[in-house]
Amino acid sequence: MKKLWIISGLLVSSSVMATTQTTKIDCDNAYTTLEINQCAEDKFDAANQQLQRYLIQSIQQNNTDKPLVEAIKMAQKQWLQYRDAECSAVYTQWQQGTIRGVMALSCKLALTQQRTLTLWENYLRPMDSSTAILPKPIVDAD
């Protein structure tokens, strides 16, 4: 009987987790800490995907200049270390509150958007009147 209770509990728990993962959150009306954190994480994930696209394009567009490609890769590696350290400090600043997660994610979002813009400005923006391969990224003002 004890095994039956454990198995039933696992099934219910799995069902609740699956429902939670497939439920779309209305981020404009997010209210709970979990919803707010999920929305912040989703926004950061989208910004991080955009950063990866711009980084790959920066490398591809300059692939004939091997020293530049290596410099871009090194800068990205060091930037990731900086971003993680800075946002870890923000998390620590807010460690006593439930807001700590969203504050750290907001830090990562802002730095990631700024890095994407920096990649575009330094390596992807045309110096003539031609059209850029990727559009100028938008940095949130919030």
Side-chain angles (χ1 to χ4, degrees):
M1 188 68 159
K2 189 175 183 179
K3 287 182 182 179
L4 182 60
W5 281 104
I6 292 172
I7 292 170
S8 296
L10 289 173
L11 289 174
V12 169
S13 176
S14 297
S15 173
V16 169
M17 286 175 61
T19 302
T20 303
Q21 291 173 349
T22 58
T23 304
K24 180 69 175 150
I25 297 171
D26 177 8
C27 290
D28 291 333
N29 296 306
Y31 180 73
T32 68
T33 300
L34 289 175
E35 290 173 338
I36 293 167
N37 284 344
Q38 184 61 56
C39 291
E41 188 171 334
D42 291 348
K43 197 169 184 176
F44 167 69
D45 288 344
N48 198 45
Q49 288 175 9
Q50 182 182 42
L51 170 64
Q52 292 308 312
R53 255 191 347 269
Y54 281 65
L55 177 62
I56 289 167
Q57 190 62 48
S58 295
I59 291 168
Q60 287 177 349
Q61 193 159 317
N62 295 288
N63 68 355
T64 58
D65 188 342
K66 299 299 180 198
L68 175 57
V69 167
E70 289 307 311
I72 292 170
K73 289 178 181 180
M74 179 58 73
Q76 183 66 16
K77 180 180 176 183
Q78 291 177 351
W79 175 83
L80 283 169
Q81 291 172 341
Y82 164 75
R83 184 201 65 193
D84 291 346
E86 177 64 20
C87 297
S88 178
V90 169
Y91 184 89
T92 300
Q93 178 183 14
W94 295 96
Q95 67 187 336
Q96 300 302 318
T98 57
I99 197 171
R100 66 188 177 271
V102 78
M103 295 303 289
L105 284 166
S106 294
C107 172
K108 284 184 171 185
L109 173 64
L111 292 176
T112 299
Q113 288 177 334
Q114 186 59 52
R115 174 67 178 154
T116 304
L117 179 60
T118 299
L119 287 171
W120 184 84
E121 288 174 339
N122 291 340
Y123 312 113
L124 299 173
R125 180 178 54 175
M127 294 297 137
D128 56 14
S129 61
S130 64
T131 304
I133 293 172
L134 292 174
K136 181 179 181 179
I138 297 170
V139 176
D140 284 346
D142 344 307

